[in-house]
Amino acid sequence: MQTFNYVKPASIDKALAAANGGKFIAGGTTLVDLMKLSVEQPTGLVDINLLPLDKIETLPTGGLRIGAMVRNSDLAWHPEVQKSYAVLSQALLSGASPQLRNMATTGGNLLQRTRCAYFREPNAGTPGGYGCDKRTPGTGCAALEGYNRTHAVLGTSEHCIATHPSDMCVAMAALEAVIHAEGPKGKRTIAFADFHKLPGNTPHIENALEPGELVTYVDLPKPIEGSRSVYLKLRDRASYEFALASAAVLAKVEGGHIRYVRVAMGGVGTKPWRSHEAEAALMGKTADAAQFRKAAEAALAGAKPHNDNAFKVELAKRCVVRALKMATS
Amino acid sequence: MATATTPQAAGIIGAAVPRIDGPVKTTGTALYAVDHDFPGLAHAVAVQSTVGSGRIRKLDASAAEQMPGVLLIFHHGNMEKVYRLFPHQDDATTSEARPPFEDDKIYYWGQYVALVVAETLEQATAAAEAVRAEYDAETPNVSADLETGFTGQRHSSWKRGDPDKALAEAPVVIDETYITPVETHNPMEMHGTVAVWDGDNVTLYESSQGVVNHRIVMAEVLGVPRENVRVISRFIGSGFGGKLFPWPQSTMAAVAARKLNRPVKLSLDRRMMFSNVGHRPLTEQRIRLGATADGRLTAVRHDFLNHTSMLDDIVERCGEQTPFIYSCPNLEVSSGLARRNVGTPTPMRGPGAVPGLFALESAMDELAVKLKMDPLELRIKNDAERDEGTNLPFSSRHLKECFTTGAEKIGWKQRTPEPGSMRRNGKVIGWGLAGASWGAARIPCTATVELCPNGRICVRCATQDIGTGTYTVFAQVMHAKTGVPMDRIDVLLGDSSLPDGPTSGGSMATSAVLPAATNAVNSAITRLMNIATLTQNSPFYGAKPETLTLIDGRIHMKEPEQAGVRRMALTSDDAPAVRPPAGGIPFEELISLARLSGITATGRTFPSFEDPKAKAYSLHSFGAHIAEVEWEPDIARLRVSRIFSIFDCGRIINLKAGANQILGAAVMGVGMTLLEETRYEKRTGQPINGSFADYLVATCADLPELDVTFLDYPDLIVNEYGARGVGEIGMAGVAPAITAAVYHATGIRVRELPVRIEDLLQSKIVEV
């Protein structure tokens, strides 16, 4: 771990002014972990725990505004989230452990970094270490020929196959959340689908935030009337494990036909994976197992497995099918 | 502390007794190894190799040496002289024979290449990161395929009859290979050492399963007399075999402390647990069974390989139970070692038996399927009445009853054999069973018991309590024999300066300490009674010692009328007789009357291997697990829902601690079967999943309903209490019971652990 400066400003303006090439720290559940591994080596930390961003408010539009500092536990157990955004509550509670959820924040979870073992190795991207284009562009990707059971099958490139680990983000992708950010150039909003970046040739660029920009809120749109939502997570053990495959589904069925549907997947993509293909395959169709399977096939049609993770393709399909059943039954 | 419901006096043996060390552990006041702190203590951090094979070309510590607080950096270029132990030619056992930093060679990823000592842990950590090592690296051999290209020696053992001929002639044959992966010990407390020198004497605060063995090893490694070394492990955050023998960090801390003439603390981190302090080695086991059409075994061949390190020859004795668990006229076991660039393996809970019985019992289940025979019936049909390996009678064997009791509990008669044929609550369920066995012995032990003038009893022994309840066993014996309340009994363990006690391993601690503790307390009571009758101002003066008894810690006459007899025996010179009070007198009052500092006696355990009576028997515990799994085919989700564990471990001394051992072992078995596997990176040899997020062990959410039954038949050949041991055996048989249940639910036979979603996705059992 490197020596770093530490400040704890009480206002957003002061936090932005203090950023200056450093990192914002909220719950610290990813950042401190990675600092101990020398993966993150910030010169300064701006602690944002005093910022007034810890509220959950109903918007005039009927949606929900979630402060970036709202803890995962508080968000998961919020009555309105449990009632109208069940998929989000379920996703949050399927992740990590109670202790971690008590610390982790909404804004921080958007920026959660991959669990790729090669990326997390202290010497990755350095001479003599594992190649990692996410750590040091140009050093390659050790996971391609390494042990890649937990790696992504969607959205990969020859530079990176690291899985995006968040459960919360999968639910937010399906919910079409909107991210508010504030930075040196002012305030702006970013559509959820535009927030996380595919690795392509630049796996070190993971999201749309500009240097010094701070996530302030996440807005959820007004719930779709008559819809149901569900998050299903499949993994080796029953708790405290990242998804091997997960699915967030919002669906509205009328007269046996699907009138509204959103499908997103976790554990399989290099970013929270919204599947427009699955949605297109389902819209207007009957809510039955055959249609669900077709949609799942469509969702995984572009999958590109590696040595150890071919099973994820079939597992993700089954996950989508079951989640669709649960959301429409 | 005993609760109100805990039976008193002799009834406490076999009762469910809460641990006497529970309160200090649950309140955080128990001091574990690296909790110890001393004035001037310096902190050490080890630097690990980042290659899995090769040679250190250059090690540059110059930048690190200049960093704040750095006191010392050891590496192969400047390490102080330390010594080796010659394997199997010594009084003690070590783990990795090569002393740390002996040369510039790298044998496995993570091998220590330097040690940085600094004023603070943070300074040492920062400087350790600044040590630069360059390597001439070679590709390590960490291949998980042991059989292909195997050129080592195979050692045959236990051969009887002609197994190959019998196999060739057998109407039904099973010939399958089973693989168990590398599993890593992950006790909550990691290995660590605090070394404190005082002149030529060193005290080592350790997390050790054997303080006596540790002392001998360290005396020899450091080149000092044994009496100069003291090893203290009062509390241990569990070991599971990984802490049986010293690892290099103990040497590193001791040498650094000697060099600096300051106390030094060195703790491993969780990553190092996966590379530097042992593991259960990879095993590849070919099992061949021959049987008659009606299910009688005619041949067994168990040929296995396990990997070992480049440095040490560690055999995982997978065939240990094979010669005697079932009856079979023709049998052979063979073993071989395949060298890999991995750290040295070490025993892990149920070593040999756990992987070995996974293979053998899985093959038995496959044989039952092939015979279209109930797997329970196959076991009963082939039950052995004597140990056919050693040709000795069993001291006490009730394996058949373990199976039938378990079958009764789960309702085995309702089982339909077809895979996927049983359903409950929208899920497919599967049932499987397997047997278990583990050896018993009575190993040497010495204990002293002191009756103290303050009314307390103090018992001392250089064994240790690794979390299994050894403290409480001693207290139970003291209470049973004296009636002194549990909260007035002090048990001192975990210190090599106490009378020599056994290593806590092989499930032999309880059976070793019981006779020593009992002999010691009995001797102390005899001395107490003698003194009571020989002390002039004692109310029992002149009585015969055998007329006295100790009840609730008070000395009484056995029969009230005998008091009169006593007076008649007095001579005229004696002081006027003092009539003994009706309620007797507390033992401490007598100690005070006799003006003694206390009454102390020593007890020893006479080992079973020197006892002609014990040597005439095969001493083993037995057990059976019956597992139930729930299977949701459409999402490939498998969970273990119930395990019934029925065990024949002799008499259980503490029902609570004993059941706790079986429960914990069953949970560990669930992890072994479904989750655990240390994966080595093929290019570097690194255990690539070396963290608690990536190396999966069972969580509370994974726990099935667990139901433990002890048959509780005393085995009086082993000791007067009839106790054998219970720590290791509980894990044996869990994996084959679960994989048999997996087959029953899914139709998928998993022969390579762990059972993965990848395997289960192949199931043809359709949606419920």
Side-chain angles (χ1 to χ4, degrees):
Chain A
M1 194 187 273
Q2 303 279 339
T3 305
F4 54 87
N5 294 313
Y6 173 85
V7 290
K8 193 172 184 179
S11 73
I12 294 175
D13 286 347
K14 283 184 179 153
L16 294 176
N20 194 28
K23 290 247 176 194
F24 297 114
I25 181 164
T29 53
T30 289
L31 184 55
V32 174
D33 180 28
L34 292 177
M35 285 170 73
K36 288 195 216 167
L37 295 170
S38 302
V39 176
E40 294 273 12
Q41 301 188 328
T43 55
L45 287 185
V46 180
D47 187 332
I48 55 173
N49 279 280
L50 295 179
L51 303 192
L53 298 172
D54 58 350
K55 302 279 186 306
I56 300 172
E57 300 157 291
T58 308
L59 292 167
T61 57
L64 206 62
R65 173 158 294 179
I66 305 159
M69 287 305 300
V70 172
R71 308 285 163 178
N72 284 179
S73 308
D74 294 333
L75 184 57
W77 296 110
H78 191 274
E80 183 56 23
V81 174
Q82 290 193 291
K83 178 170 155 270
S84 304
Y85 306 95
V87 63
L88 179 58
S89 180
Q90 291 165 14
L92 286 161
L93 294 177
S94 74
S97 64
Q99 296 90 332
L100 285 165
R101 294 196 293 267
N102 287 343
M103 286 301 290
T105 62
T106 307
N109 198 287
L110 291 172
L111 307 176
Q112 190 180 4
R113 303 200 72 185
T114 183
R115 291 293 309 187
C116 171
Y118 298 98
F119 166 78
R120 287 171 56 84
E121 192 56 26
N123 70 1
T126 69
Y130 295 112
C132 181
D133 282 339
K134 192 185 272 296
R135 289 277 295 278
T136 313
T139 58
C141 172
L144 282 172
E145 299 301 322
Y147 182 52
N148 49 35
R149 179 173 187 260
T150 60
H151 286 71
V153 294
L154 290 166
T156 59
S157 74
E158 68 271 33
H159 296 282
C160 189
I161 59 170
T163 309
H164 195 276
S166 167
D167 293 298
M168 182 195 85
C169 288
V170 180
M172 285 187 175
L175 287 165
E176 299 181 308
V178 174
I179 292 160
H180 292 249
E182 199 169 331
K185 295 180 198 159
K187 298 181 186 181
R188 63 172 178 142
T189 58
I190 306 164
F192 200 88
D194 298 332
F195 187 77
H196 296 100
K197 299 294 178 193
L198 287 173
N201 297 326
T202 55
H204 58 293
I205 299 170
E206 295 180 352
N207 58 61
L209 290 179
E210 299 282 343
E213 227 177 359
L214 177 71
V215 174
T216 49
Y217 303 96
V218 176
D219 285 357
L220 302 182
K222 185 182 172 192
I224 305 297
E225 209 165 300
S227 72
R228 288 177 58 188
S229 71
V230 68
Y231 187 75
L232 175 66
K233 180 173 179 176
L234 303 183
R235 47 184 161 181
D236 297 298
R237 66 180 172 189
S239 171
Y240 194 58
E241 188 189 355
F242 294 90
L244 292 171
S246 72
V249 169
L250 280 73
K252 180 178 177 178
V253 180
E254 280 174 343
H257 287 73
I258 296 169
R259 299 302 176 199
Y260 176 90
V261 68
R262 294 289 179 270
V263 177
M265 295 183 290
V268 288
T270 52
K271 59 179 268 184
W273 199 263
R274 168 91 178 268
S275 179
H276 297 283
E277 297 83 353
E279 293 166 12
L282 290 162
M283 275 301 284
K285 301 286 169 39
T286 52
D288 60 48
Q291 295 298 341
F292 297 160
R293 184 72 197 183
K294 275 188 201 167
E297 299 284 351
L300 275 300
K304 194 180 167 205
H306 290 83
N307 287 342
D308 305 309
N309 66 0
F311 77 101
K312 279 192 172 187
V313 179
E314 174 61 21
L315 189 68
K317 288 177 189 172
R318 295 196 192 185
C319 189
V320 167
V321 170
R322 170 70 83 93
L324 283 164
K325 270 188 203 169
M326 291 163 76
T328 58
S329 63
Chain B
M1 55 178 187
T3 61
T5 54
T6 305
Q8 298 302 299
I12 201 165
I13 303 293
V17 184
R19 285 151 207 259
I20 60 168
D21 50 329
V24 290
K25 284 183 170 174
T26 49
T27 55
T29 48
L31 283 186
Y32 291 80
V34 299
D35 291 338
H36 289 87
D37 209 349
F38 297 92
L41 181 128
H43 295 265
V45 170
V47 182
Q48 296 179 274
S49 167
T50 55
V51 304
S53 177
R55 186 176 288 273
I56 302 169
R57 184 171 62 235
K58 186 180 169 199
L59 194 132
D60 180 5
S62 56
E65 276 162 358
Q66 301 308 312
M67 288 174 66
V70 173
L71 301 166
L72 173 70
I73 300 180
F74 268 140
H75 47 79
H76 68 280
N78 68 352
M79 178 62 176
E80 305 266 297
K81 174 127 180 128
V82 288
Y83 301 88
R84 284 177 170 252
L85 263 72
F86 206 99
H88 314 299
Q89 305 298 325
D90 204 294
D91 288 350
T93 308
T94 191
S95 299
E96 191 173 300
R98 176 185 179 267
F101 318 130
E102 190 177 56
D103 52 34
D104 61 356
K105 294 194 187 77
I106 299 297
Y107 297 94
Y108 60 92
W109 187 97
Q111 180 184 318
Y112 302 127
V113 296
L115 180 76
V116 178
V117 190
E119 296 286 351
T120 70
L121 179 61
E122 291 75 12
Q123 289 169 334
T125 305
E129 283 173 23
V131 172
R132 293 276 158 259
E134 292 172 27
Y135 303 94
D136 291 325
E138 289 156 19
T139 304
N141 181 358
V142 289
S143 170
D145 180 354
L146 302 185
E147 191 63 50
T148 307
F150 177 77
T151 55
Q153 282 199 317
R154 291 179 203 264
H155 301 277
S156 167
S157 55
W158 298 113
K159 188 167 178 183
R160 62 182 186 246
D162 189 342
D164 290 336
K165 181 163 169 280
L167 278 167
E169 292 169 357
V172 184
V173 171
I174 293 291
D175 182 356
E176 297 292 352
T177 296
Y178 303 87
I179 293 170
T180 64
V182 172
E183 294 157 43
T184 298
H185 311 69
N186 268 301
M188 278 169 68
E189 184 199 16
M190 295 173 287
H191 298 247
T193 303
V194 178
V196 187
W197 287 85
D198 177 9
D200 292 334
N201 297 299
V202 64
T203 302
L204 300 169
Y205 297 85
E206 294 280 355
S207 186
S208 168
Q209 290 179 242
V211 291
V212 173
N213 179 75
H214 200 113
R215 177 188 59 179
I216 300 172
V217 170
M218 292 309 295
E220 300 190 11
V221 164
L222 297 169
V224 301
R226 288 182 191 179
E227 58 271 24
N228 289 21
V229 179
R230 184 178 177 196
V231 177
I232 294 177
S233 292
R234 291 246 192 260
F235 299 101
I236 295 134
S238 207
F240 306 113
K243 296 171 179 172
L244 284 169
F245 318 119
W247 291 97
Q249 103 280 339
S250 191
T251 305
M252 287 151 62
V255 173
R258 181 163 64 182
K259 173 90 175 169
L260 290 169
N261 195 25
R262 286 175 66 164
V264 168
K265 181 183 290 189
L266 172 57
S267 177
L268 271 69
D269 62 22
R270 188 58 66 181
R271 256 163 82 90
M272 292 174 181
M273 295 295 289
F274 288 85
S275 47
N276 296 64
V277 283
H279 56 268
R280 193 199 296 280
L282 182 75
T283 74
E284 193 169 322
Q285 307 173 57
R286 183 178 178 194
I287 303 274
R288 278 169 279 185
L289 303 179
T292 60
D294 65 347
R296 197 163 291 282
L297 284 171
T298 57
V300 175
R301 279 205 63 145
H302 190 164
D303 300 293
F304 70 91
L305 300 176
N306 70 260
H307 86 195
T308 190
S309 63
M310 294 294 169
L311 297 163
D312 301 283
D313 296 347
I314 306 294
V315 180
E316 179 80 11
R317 301 187 189 284
C318 297
E320 201 161 287
Q321 283 67 29
T322 308
F324 64 82
I325 189 160
Y326 297 115
S327 175
C328 180
N330 305 290
L331 182 142
E332 188 173 359
V333 173
S334 82
S335 66
L337 289 177
R339 284 200 194 285
R340 295 291 183 266
N341 289 105
V342 297
T344 295
T346 208
M348 184 182 197
R349 200 173 205 169
V354 167
L357 285 172
F358 165 65
L360 185 67
E361 285 291 80
S362 292
M364 286 293 279
D365 195 66
E366 298 207 54
L367 178 62
V369 170
K370 200 163 183 179
L371 289 164
K372 296 194 175 13
M373 190 171 175
D374 187 309
L376 172 67
E377 193 192 332
L378 179 67
R379 263 65 169 212
I380 288 170
K381 190 160 206 164
N382 290 286
D383 192 51
E385 289 186 356
R386 70 191 271 124
D387 181 335
E388 295 175 12
T390 56
N391 197 24
L392 292 172
F394 291 108
S395 58
S396 174
R397 167 176 164 134
H398 303 89
L399 177 58
K400 206 157 50 171
E401 190 178 333
C402 292
F403 278 123
T404 54
T405 305
E408 191 69 29
K409 283 194 157 246
I410 199 168
W412 189 262
K413 279 185 193 145
Q414 272 83 58
R415 181 179 183 268
T416 52
E418 193 60 28
S421 63
M422 289 175 71
R423 311 283 162 117
R424 189 179 61 213
N425 299 334
K427 291 171 183 166
V428 183
I429 61 168
W431 288 357
L433 54 77
S437 181
W438 185 259
R442 192 173 70 226
I443 55 176
C445 176
T446 309
T448 62
V449 168
E450 184 184 359
L451 307 177
C452 304
N454 60 0
R456 301 184 73 82
I457 293 183
C458 186
V459 53
R460 295 176 168 86
C461 179
T463 186
Q464 49 286 309
D465 188 331
I466 56 172
T468 51
T470 307
Y471 277 115
T472 310
V473 166
F474 275 102
Q476 284 175 270
V477 171
M478 295 306 117
H479 175 71
K481 295 291 180 187
T482 65
V484 170
M486 295 286 273
D487 60 8
R488 282 205 275 138
I489 296 166
D490 300 310
V491 185
L492 296 186
L493 309 179
D495 182 342
S496 66
S497 67
L498 301 170
D500 276 9
T503 289
S504 304
S507 296
M508 291 184 286
T510 298
S511 57
V513 304
L514 282 170
T518 306
N519 294 341
V521 70
N522 284 343
S523 281
I525 294 169
T526 302
R527 287 177 182 171
L528 175 73
M529 298 316 190
N530 291 341
I531 293 165
T533 56
L534 294 169
T535 301
Q536 288 203 353
N537 52 351
S538 156
F540 306 101
Y541 179 60
K544 290 187 175 146
E546 57 271 25
T547 63
L548 303 184
T549 183
L550 198 60
I551 301 167
D552 295 336
R554 300 170 76 90
I555 307 166
H556 290 258
M557 298 300 295
K558 276 182 185 160
E559 304 289 341
E561 62 274 18
Q562 286 180 343
V565 176
R566 176 190 71 88
R567 274 204 304 279
M568 281 157 58
L570 296 179
T571 68
S572 57
D573 300 340
D574 287 321
V578 184
R579 178 173 273 281
I585 65 162
F587 75 83
E588 62 271 26
E589 205 173 300
L590 183 82
I591 290 172
S592 174
L593 284 174
R595 296 159 72 183
L596 302 176
S597 66
I599 296 170
T600 301
T602 301
R604 289 189 180 79
T605 299
F606 179 53
S608 55
F609 51 78
E610 290 174 9
D611 174 0
K613 192 173 102 191
K615 280 161 72 177
Y617 290 95
S618 168
L619 311 177
H620 286 93
S621 285
F622 295 90
H625 293 286
I626 302 195
E628 177 187 85
V629 299
E630 289 181 347
W631 165 238
E632 294 174 79
D634 54 339
I635 52 170
R637 178 182 279 167
L638 184 108
R639 299 284 182 249
V640 182
S641 43
R642 291 194 288 173
I643 298 178
F644 294 91
S645 307
I646 297 83
F647 278 76
D648 166 30
C649 297
R651 185 175 181 200
I652 298 304
I653 299 300
N654 182 350
L655 189 57
K656 205 165 196 169
N660 174 244
Q661 285 298 304
I662 301 289
L663 292 171
V667 173
M668 230 169 138
V670 170
M672 171 193 180
T673 314
L674 302 182
L675 304 168
E676 294 190 45
E677 176 183 19
T678 306
R679 292 288 299 224
Y680 295 97
E681 219 300 316
K682 63 189 175 200
R683 292 160 296 189
T684 61
Q686 177 183 1
I688 197 67
N689 58 342
S691 80
F692 266 162
D694 301 309
Y695 180 91
L696 304 182
V697 297
T699 65
C700 289
D702 292 289
L703 297 198
E705 242 178 78
L706 297 163
D707 183 319
V708 177
T709 306
F710 289 115
L711 298 186
D712 220 32
Y713 291 108
D715 185 343
L716 297 172
I717 303 294
V718 177
N719 55 52
E720 67 174 88
Y721 294 87
R724 287 196 292 249
V726 73
E728 315 268 7
I729 191 171
M731 196 171 169
V734 180
I738 295 174
T739 52
V742 167
Y743 174 78
H744 186 222
T746 68
I748 300 292
R749 177 68 65 180
V750 179
R751 301 187 184 93
E752 180 173 357
L753 294 181
V755 177
R756 294 263 195 203
I757 290 172
E758 289 90 317
D759 303 315
L760 302 177
L761 281 167
Q762 312 304 317
S763 171
K764 302 283 185 275
I765 305 299
V766 292
E767 210 166 317
V768 179

